[in-house]
Amino acid sequence: MLLIEQQQVDLILSDDGLQHYRLPRAVEVVMFDGRRGLGNGWRLPAGPLREPARRLQQADFVVIKASGTIAAGAPGDALSMRLELAEAISLSTGKPRALAEFVGQNVHAVAGIADPGQFFAALESLGLRVDGRTLPDHAVPELQDLIFDDDLPVLMTEKDAVKCRHLQLGNHWYVPAIAHFSETDKVRFLSGLNEYLVKAEL
């Protein structure tokens, strides 16, 4: 906290901060996967939720990551977002390469995220032939997690790449996911966000 004060920070973005009630906040944004929805509606450990479903009514924005049919339980005024994969970035050189150049090829894919299957499926939907290797969520990949007994390209999420760039692996790439909103939802979100920040004098 002292470091934040020394740097004169006046805006903090907190991931997974919804349930930390001692943390002051100007805006609450809840995002969940449209395919999974609210699961069985129960909180941990009986279900996937950290807060009761009624907590959504108190959030300033609810954003649904949509990848097809949206599960039941989503608020009617929720914003819809989709993720798009367009290019791969070399871990060793930082140079981009269009994912279209990998189409029809066999590739390895590594993911240590909450739902690795979605990453693998997204690559396959673009025409890549994926051999997926799942790591635990938030895992720090080690060298043995990223090495295979062939010279095929290895693709990973940007979240995983941050933790292993120092390994200087030559044929390894990370794939940024770009968020897209409809024009209506984009305007609604940005104008609403600006309104809240003005009220909070940020």
Side-chain angles (χ1 to χ4, degrees):
M1 195 64 184
L2 180 60
L3 179 60
I4 291 176
E5 292 174 353
Q6 290 174 346
Q7 297 296 321
Q8 297 183 328
V9 174
D10 58 9
L11 177 63
I12 300 173
L13 301 179
S14 174
D15 183 24
D16 287 343
L18 188 70
Q19 69 273 26
H20 300 297
Y21 290 109
R22 292 180 61 189
L23 180 68
R25 74 280 314 271
V27 182
E28 287 186 335
V29 180
V30 177
M31 186 173 74
F32 64 92
D33 180 60
R35 182 174 57 86
R36 292 181 172 184
L38 301 178
N40 62 5
W42 290 84
R43 283 176 283 176
L44 294 169
L49 304 183
R50 300 182 187 183
E51 295 279 329
R54 64 177 180 274
R55 184 73 171 81
L56 293 175
Q57 300 170 10
Q58 301 169 2
D60 300 297
F61 298 100
V62 176
V63 179
I64 300 174
K65 184 178 70 173
S67 54
T69 302
I70 296 176
D77 61 346
L79 305 173
S80 182
M81 179 198 77
R82 61 182 176 83
L83 296 178
E84 180 180 288
L85 308 181
E87 62 181 11
I89 311 295
S90 169
L91 260 70
S92 59
T93 68
K95 293 183 178 179
R97 180 180 176 186
L99 282 177
E101 297 183 24
F102 294 93
V103 169
Q105 294 185 34
N106 293 317
V107 301
H108 298 293
V110 178
I113 57 178
D115 188 357
Q118 282 199 23
F119 178 60
F120 304 151
L123 294 174
E124 289 173 342
S125 71
L126 296 174
L128 285 67
R129 295 198 290 266
V130 177
D131 169 40
R133 175 176 290 179
T134 297
L135 303 178
D137 192 15
H138 301 295
V140 177
E142 299 184 3
L143 191 59
Q144 62 265 28
D145 297 320
L146 305 171
I147 297 298
F148 297 81
D149 57 2
D150 54 44
D151 58 356
L152 295 177
V154 180
L155 307 182
M156 66 184 69
T157 70
E158 191 169 12
K159 174 182 174 180
D160 296 306
V162 169
K163 305 169 187 175
C164 59
R165 282 192 174 126
H166 64 284
L167 297 176
Q168 292 294 310
L169 298 166
N171 200 23
H172 290 60
W173 309 74
Y174 69 89
V175 183
I178 309 300
H180 290 278
F181 292 83
S182 70
E183 195 60 34
T184 300
D185 281 354
K186 184 194 304 183
V187 169
R188 182 177 151 210
F189 180 67
L190 293 178
S191 61
L193 185 61
N194 184 63
E195 180 182 334
Y196 285 118
L197 294 180
V198 168
K199 287 180 180 178
E201 299 182 350
L202 295 176

